[in-house]
């Protein structure tokens, strides 16, 4: 199975300025992410960015990079442009690996791509893992997902899901119906990804501030690969960056 990894990267970050170029063991963070992605089964890895400094840093490390517009409202919009610039066929599977995930496991990238490839009638895929900590279950920064019998997403929320009616308050985890934490990695068919910016934002997306709800709102399905392993630490803050640097 052939698939392409696209890595969106932008320089503006309120909590960590110039984040893609943050040094991790002598290399920019976005290069570290691309190197992890290259260890997967991807036939191509490309960074889609908004700044020539990112392009230069990637090219210096032998990583392909594309300059995209600076005004994209989301990473998905940036990757839609990258698909067009690369001329990817509609049925090409594209995996969106976030540019601030230098510890992402290559096997997770492969699994998300394979999960989508196994569902030719599904335009999008993602991943999740079981929540074991009740603090995570009630944390609105931990996005939850519930699935149908076929392993496709029914809904994503920042609220505790599923809600255990007999568990009392505050909401608790149910041993019979384990909760799943959504992992922010996505796979798309390139044709669908190119069409994504044209889909109207949904009211649920605005309320929850979760872009993937736009896909469900418009009647599309999202395949979910459930992994037994929690993902590595992402980088949102200087403290996150310090923790990740300990691995290199």
């Amino acid at each position: 199975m052939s698939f392409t990894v696209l890595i969106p990267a932008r320089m503006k970050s309120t909590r960590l300025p110039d984040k893609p170029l943050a040094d991790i063991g002598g290399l920019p963070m976005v290069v570290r992410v691309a190197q992890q992605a290259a260890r997967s089964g991807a036939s191509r890895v490309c960074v889609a960015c908004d700044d020539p400094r990112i392009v230069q840093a990637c090219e210096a490390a032998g990583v392909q990079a594309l300059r995209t517009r600076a005004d994209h409202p989301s990473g998905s919009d940036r990757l839609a442009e990258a698909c067009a610039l690369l001329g990817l066929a509609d049925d090409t599977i594209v995996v969106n690996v976030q540019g601030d995930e230098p510890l992402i496991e290559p096997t997770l990238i492969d699994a998300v791509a394979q999960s989508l490839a196994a569902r030719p009638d599904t335009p999008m895929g993602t991943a999740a893992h079981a929540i074991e900590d009740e603090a995570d279950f009630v944390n609105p920064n931990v996005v939850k997902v519930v699935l149908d019998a076929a392993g496709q997403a029914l809904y994503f929320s920042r609220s505790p899901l599923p809600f255990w009616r007999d568990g009392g308050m505050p909401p608790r985890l149910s041993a019979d119906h384990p909760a799943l934490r959504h992992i922010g990695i996505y796979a798309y068919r390139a044709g669908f990804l190119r069409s994504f910016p044209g889909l109207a934002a949904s009211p649920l997306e605005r309320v929850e501030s979760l872009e993937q709800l736009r896909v469900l709102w418009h009647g599309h399905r999202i395949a979910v690969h459930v992994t037994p392993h929690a993902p590595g630490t992402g980088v949102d803050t200087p403290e996150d960056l310090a923790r990740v640097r300990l691995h290199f």
Side-chain angles (χ1 to χ4, degrees):
M1 179 197 63
S2 175
F3 66 93
T4 294
V5 169
L6 295 181
I7 303 168
R10 65 187 186 96
M11 290 296 276
K12 291 183 180 179
S13 172
T14 55
R15 289 184 287 181
L16 190 60
D18 298 346
K19 182 163 67 168
L21 301 183
D23 182 271
I24 298 179
L27 288 172
M29 177 162 56
V30 70
V31 170
R32 290 290 186 189
V33 175
Q35 289 178 337
Q36 284 295 93
R39 296 185 181 104
S40 73
S43 57
R44 176 187 231 168
V45 175
C46 182
V47 173
C49 62
D50 67 346
D51 192 289
R53 290 172 291 173
I54 301 175
V55 175
Q56 292 165 6
C58 289
E59 291 180 344
V63 174
Q64 183 183 10
L66 285 174
R67 178 87 179 273
T68 55
R69 294 191 345 243
D71 60 348
H72 285 303
S74 72
S76 300
D77 294 276
R78 189 174 309 285
L79 296 195
E81 182 187 356
C83 280
L85 291 173
L86 292 170
L88 299 181
D90 284 352
D91 60 351
T92 301
I93 290 178
V94 175
V95 179
N96 174 356
V97 174
Q98 302 298 327
D100 56 6
E101 298 279 351
L103 299 179
I104 190 166
E105 286 292 336
T107 53
L108 178 61
I109 299 172
D110 290 336
V112 172
Q114 290 165 3
S115 177
L116 182 59
R119 299 174 185 267
D121 58 342
T122 303
M124 183 173 168
T126 189
H129 71 91
I131 295 175
E132 298 180 353
D133 188 336
E134 291 195 347
D136 286 340
F137 186 53
V138 299
N139 184 348
N141 294 316
V142 174
V143 177
K144 275 68 70 173
V145 59
V146 287
L147 311 183
D148 65 13
Q152 300 191 97
L154 288 170
Y155 192 65
F156 297 84
S157 182
R158 297 182 182 279
S159 296
L161 285 180
F163 183 85
W164 182 17
R165 185 195 65 178
D166 298 329
M169 291 295 290
R172 296 169 52 203
L173 291 167
S174 167
D176 295 329
H177 299 285
L180 294 174
R181 177 178 187 161
H182 177 234
I183 301 171
I185 180 173
Y186 299 97
Y188 306 85
R189 300 189 192 282
F192 178 76
L193 181 54
R194 273 193 291 267
S195 71
F196 181 84
L199 294 177
S202 77
L204 293 173
E205 172 188 357
R206 295 190 184 100
V207 169
E208 296 259 20
S209 191
L210 296 174
E211 188 181 70
Q212 62 270 35
L213 290 176
R214 185 187 314 182
V215 178
L216 299 182
W217 175 265
H218 286 280
H220 301 289
R221 307 309 303 271
I222 301 176
V224 181
H225 166 72
V226 179
T227 173
H229 308 295
T233 301
V235 178
D236 288 319
T237 66
E239 292 76 20
D240 294 336
L241 181 60
R243 284 193 292 271
V244 166
R245 281 173 169 161
L246 296 177
H247 294 266
F248 293 90

